[in-house]
Amino acid sequence: MESQSVVPRACHNCRVRKIRCNREFPCSNCLTSNIQCQPGSRAGRSAAVAAPAPGNGGAFKELQERIARLEHALEKLSTSPSPGCSIDIHGGTQDGNGSSVAPVPAAQKTWTESTGFVERDPSFERQSYLASQIAELAHPASSESHQVADELKTLSAVSNTPASSNTSRNTAAVSSDADYVLKREQVPASFVLKIIRYLESRVKNANKPLLLIVHPIPDLDVLKNLCQHIYFPLDPMTAGELTLFNALLYFAIWEVQSRGDSDIDPDELAKYRRITDANFNCGVEDAGIITIASYENALTLCLAAYYAHTLGDIVRHQAVVSAAARHCLQLGYHRNDKGQLPPEESHKRRLLFWHVYISELGLTLRLGRAAVIQEFDVDVPQLNVSSDPRQAVWDESLRSFTRFSSIQSRIYCKIYSPGAIATLAAKPAKRPARVAKFAAELNEWYMEWNQINSADAYYPMVHQHTFMAVEVIYYSVLTLLHRGSTDSNSPSDISPECFAAARQGLQTHLRIFPAVLAQGPGTVSYYGVWIFMYSSFTPYVVTFLHSIANTDTNDLQLLKNVLDTLDDIGSGYELVHRQKTLCSALYRIANAFIESRQCQQNGGSQDCAEQSAIDHQAFVTAAEQTLNLPLQPDTIQDWGNFDTIVEDWESQYFNQQSLMLGNSLDQ
């Protein structure tokens, strides 16, 4: 009798497709392709594989049942299903919609959440905190106001609470195991083909998909090649490739849903958008994506930065875009290839690099930290402007924002960085010259930006809504630039140009916000993300300082009008809520301070009012001579308690190098 081999056969599907099978059941290729795995049969030997003898049938069945129970127990020990999910007979789970998804491992801290996130002095939160330290708020008139003291506590509490990522953990399953990423439920090939055909039809009709306009995707071949490699693999796929595929598919499905002009079942779109969303966020947390430099991994991280941007998650954005920037540097995308690469490959690399460049350098001034990409090391040419006039508008916008990001990065390096602080402290005459130079460059950029016409672009409304906050951001950067013209925290030392830019920024916001509000909640939230998350919104802080210094009720009303608009912005975003809380506290401090001063002056005699003014001026003069709060702390170190003059204000920890007190305060 011919002996039976104990080595399992390749499954039926792998034999038909002529690919290597790992000989498990179900095999990895069938899991990836989302098809039913069929065990391989031995053609021509069906008679040899006889059924068990009648006397042994019960024992054979019992052994099968025992093996099944052991496998089931092992799966339960090796996985920790998420709450609300039930294990099915195949070891998977069922979500709330009845769709099968892979078991979710136990919750743990992701690498994006583990990244240190500290905002330095150019940020809105640090500027708000420094504003609470001005001498005027230490005057007896303000110390008598319990509302001032309470709001100062609010400022302190928000400023000292570290920001965290607010990306939904319901979809971002966490695992550092690439095998877990590969085993997650995937979208069937038939649905992917529907999406690709829809995108191709738009290209053929000269209506380029947003996927190829907004993102660094040169053409649909990127998606089609990934599709072929995943569903018909000749070589093992990586977690990075699968994550990139899900990212591209997620944004493509979003576009199809948004347009609503396809014949694809809406329920299918909703289901597979949820699956690709979960797979995308899960895959980004794979350790290989941040440690292995490749085009696919860098592109995946760039798309993850855009995803975090749309959610207003600046913590995750900073983490993933920094990793993408390191990949680009390691791969040499920042250098000129000098014709050594085919034009298509060169364009693909440059497109990715400049998107990462804008995304990373645009955060440097906002967060007060140096970029991974340093300009002195970059010589790759800018992207060419398309001959297609509608695409040319988007290309010119990208080039313009490349310059804007560069200006912001250089403002940080030359004015706010620790090295700049030391240089300007030794040679203070250089500070006004640097500010004037950057102000002229910013003005030149803004004039050029205004020449771009959204009406001539692909999807003109999308272009307009994407960049509708640019004017507010421009004035925020200009205000922060002029704020750096002095290292003093006293309002009297802030330049008139700084106050003027701040006022223009807030008035611009009030002018354009009604149009933003009319476009609906989505546009309002996206606008709020831009003005709060990706600009420092320093105009609000500077206007607050001006209102305190001059007891200016017009400034107070401007603060109130802006604050009233913030109720409609970003209610679901944690970091936007933090900014709104700070704005509200600043307004109430200014309001209580001005009311206290007015009541003191109106309630007493003329002599008392005059004496109060004399006392106030004397206090301010003395304080201005002894208090100096530099704009940029370089480290965070606890150095003991510094009790403020404001009654009942909790002691705070300060950076020893960021606070210098005069002799009168030391006594």
Side-chain angles (χ1 to χ4, degrees):
M1 179 177 177
E2 185 179 355
S3 62
Q4 296 290 324
S5 174
V6 296
V7 179
R9 299 278 292 177
C11 76
H12 175 72
N13 294 328
C14 290
R15 293 179 62 192
V16 171
R17 295 159 65 185
K18 297 182 179 180
I19 58 177
R20 183 181 297 276
C21 181
N22 64 358
R23 303 193 179 194
E24 296 179 358
F25 180 73
C27 74
S28 60
N29 293 327
C30 292
L31 283 173
T32 300
S33 302
N34 198 26
I35 58 179
Q36 183 177 2
C37 188
Q38 303 175 12
S41 60
R42 297 178 179 269
R45 294 188 178 183
S46 56
V49 185
N56 298 330
F60 182 75
K61 183 176 182 180
E62 182 180 355
L63 285 174
Q64 285 185 317
E65 292 176 350
R66 289 182 62 188
I67 293 173
R69 288 197 298 270
L70 289 172
E71 290 177 343
H72 184 64
L74 182 61
E75 285 181 352
K76 292 182 65 176
L77 289 174
S78 61
T79 60
S80 299
S82 61
C85 296
S86 59
I87 302 177
D88 64 16
I89 59 174
H90 300 295
T93 60
Q94 299 289 328
D95 65 8
N97 297 318
S99 299
S100 176
V101 295
V104 180
Q108 54 182 299
K109 203 168 187 180
T110 70
W111 70 265
T112 53
E113 294 174 326
S114 302
T115 304
F117 188 82
V118 178
E119 297 188 31
R120 305 299 186 182
D121 277 7
S123 71
F124 178 75
E125 295 186 7
R126 289 294 300 165
Q127 288 288 321
S128 300
Y129 179 76
L130 294 179
S132 70
Q133 302 298 297
I134 60 176
E136 284 80 353
L137 294 179
H139 187 265
S142 59
S143 65
E144 294 173 0
S145 172
H146 292 289
Q147 185 174 1
V148 172
D150 290 341
E151 296 305 329
L152 288 172
K153 290 180 181 179
T154 300
L155 277 176
S156 174
V158 175
S159 299
N160 287 292
T161 302
S164 61
S165 172
N166 66 332
T167 299
S168 173
R169 296 299 300 276
N170 294 328
T171 58
V174 181
S175 176
S176 59
D177 186 2
D179 289 339
Y180 173 73
V181 179
L182 295 173
K183 291 179 180 179
R184 289 185 62 87
E185 180 187 8
Q186 299 302 324
V187 178
S190 58
F191 176 80
V192 178
L193 290 176
K194 293 179 185 179
I195 295 294
I196 292 178
R197 291 192 187 104
Y198 172 84
L199 297 176
E200 286 181 328
S201 68
R202 297 195 62 81
V203 172
K204 291 178 181 178
N205 294 329
N207 203 356
K208 201 171 183 180
L210 273 173
L211 182 69
L212 306 182
I213 295 176
V214 178
H215 306 291
I217 315 297
D219 49 49
L220 290 179
D221 287 343
V222 177
L223 177 58
K224 290 192 286 186
N225 291 339
L226 282 171
C227 180
Q228 182 178 7
H229 181 49
I230 288 170
Y231 293 105
F232 305 98
L234 297 178
D235 299 308
M237 78 182 80
T238 65
E241 292 171 334
L242 190 58
T243 303
L244 175 59
F245 173 73
N246 279 279
L248 296 176
L249 200 54
Y250 168 80
F251 288 115
I253 295 173
W254 172 87
E255 182 174 351
V256 175
Q257 283 184 310
S258 300
R259 295 195 60 83
D261 59 354
S262 74
D263 57 358
I264 304 176
D265 184 6
D267 292 336
E268 268 194 319
L269 290 170
K271 174 184 177 181
Y272 294 124
R273 180 181 174 186
R274 187 185 70 255
I275 291 175
T276 54
D277 186 11
N279 291 347
F280 176 26
N281 282 282
C282 170
V284 169
E285 300 298 342
D286 176 59
I289 290 181
I290 61 170
T291 56
I292 301 174
S294 67
Y295 172 80
E296 289 77 15
N297 289 346
L299 179 55
T300 299
L301 292 168
C302 183
L303 294 174
Y306 177 85
Y307 181 96
H309 173 99
T310 59
L311 295 180
D313 193 342
I314 197 171
V315 178
R316 187 177 177 89
H317 184 172
Q318 187 272 332
V320 295
V321 80
S322 296
R326 288 190 291 270
H327 284 351
C328 287
L329 295 181
Q330 187 171 350
L331 294 168
Y333 292 174
H334 61 302
R335 301 308 303 271
N336 188 350
D337 63 85
K338 299 181 179 179
Q340 297 178 355
L341 296 173
E344 296 79 8
E345 180 68 19
S346 178
H347 172 71
K348 182 177 74 172
R349 296 183 178 190
R350 283 191 293 156
L351 182 63
L352 174 58
F353 172 78
W354 287 118
H355 272 264
V356 173
Y357 178 96
I358 292 172
S359 187
E360 198 218 354
L361 270 70
L363 292 178
T364 53
L365 191 59
R366 164 66 177 84
L367 299 179
R369 59 176 65 184
V372 173
I373 299 173
Q374 295 295 315
E375 288 197 75
F376 66 83
D377 198 31
V378 176
D379 66 351
V380 62
Q382 282 278 2
L383 291 170
N384 298 324
V385 177
S386 174
S387 58
D388 181 351
R390 292 188 293 173
Q391 177 63 41
V393 178
W394 288 94
D395 293 343
E396 290 169 355
S397 301
L398 182 68
R399 290 170 65 108
S400 181
F401 254 75
T402 299
R403 184 183 178 190
F404 188 42
S405 299
S406 171
I407 295 173
Q408 293 181 70
S409 178
R410 286 184 283 117
I411 289 175
Y412 170 76
C413 292
K414 295 296 184 180
I415 295 179
Y416 284 99
S417 68
I421 294 291
T423 299
L424 297 177
K427 299 179 180 179
K430 287 187 174 182
R431 187 183 291 272
R434 290 186 180 183
V435 170
K437 177 183 176 182
F438 283 124
E441 192 171 355
L442 268 176
N443 181 68
E444 181 183 352
W445 171 84
Y446 185 59
M447 298 296 290
E448 292 179 356
W449 172 261
N450 286 330
Q451 301 303 313
I452 298 177
N453 187 2
S454 296
D456 299 332
Y458 280 112
Y459 311 102
M461 292 301 294
V462 175
H463 187 276
Q464 181 182 351
H465 292 169
T466 301
F467 299 107
M468 65 185 354
V470 167
E471 190 173 0
V472 178
I473 297 173
Y474 162 73
Y475 282 116
S476 292
V477 174
L478 186 62
T479 302
L480 194 55
L481 171 63
H482 286 299
R483 183 69 183 86
S485 61
T486 175
D487 61 355
S488 170
N489 196 47
S490 172
S492 61
D493 291 332
I494 298 177
S495 67
E497 292 83 3
C498 185
F499 286 128
R503 191 173 294 107
Q504 283 183 292
L506 297 186
Q507 291 172 344
T508 299
H509 164 71
L510 293 175
R511 173 172 53 82
I512 68 177
F513 187 70
V516 175
L517 193 61
Q519 298 299 325
T523 303
V524 172
S525 297
Y526 193 64
Y527 172 81
V529 165
W530 269 110
I531 66 170
F532 273 137
M533 314 301 294
Y534 297 96
S535 72
S536 66
F537 210 55
T538 309
Y540 200 91
V541 179
V542 171
T543 304
F544 161 81
L545 292 173
H546 191 268
S547 67
I548 291 291
N550 299 278
T551 318
D552 192 326
T553 56
N554 291 328
D555 285 341
L556 185 64
Q557 185 60 46
L558 181 59
L559 294 175
K560 177 64 166 60
N561 293 340
V562 172
L563 184 61
D564 289 342
T565 67
L566 303 187
D567 292 331
D568 298 309
I569 298 178
S571 59
Y573 299 150
E574 176 195 349
L575 294 182
V576 174
H577 177 72
R578 287 162 60 92
Q579 306 287 59
K580 179 180 179 294
T581 302
L582 291 172
C583 288
S584 180
L586 289 173
Y587 166 73
R588 289 195 290 265
I589 290 172
N591 185 55
F593 176 83
I594 292 175
E595 285 183 354
S596 177
R597 291 295 310 280
Q598 290 175 340
C599 290
Q600 185 184 32
Q601 292 178 359
N602 295 334
S605 64
Q606 182 68 24
D607 292 339
C608 291
E610 292 176 357
Q611 184 62 40
S612 175
I614 294 174
D615 293 343
H616 172 68
Q617 184 59 43
F619 181 87
V620 171
T621 301
E624 288 176 354
Q625 294 174 353
T626 59
L627 184 63
N628 181 17
L629 293 173
L631 294 175
Q632 178 61 37
D634 51 357
T635 58
I636 299 297
Q637 299 172 347
D638 295 343
W639 64 285
N641 295 334
F642 172 66
D643 297 324
T644 65
I645 303 174
V646 181
E647 184 179 358
D648 295 331
W649 191 12
E650 297 176 355
S651 301
Q652 301 299 327
Y653 294 105
F654 287 84
N655 176 2
Q656 187 174 13
Q657 299 180 4
S658 69
L659 183 65
M660 296 184 294
L661 300 176
N663 293 331
S664 62
L665 291 181
D666 292 330
Q667 296 175 354

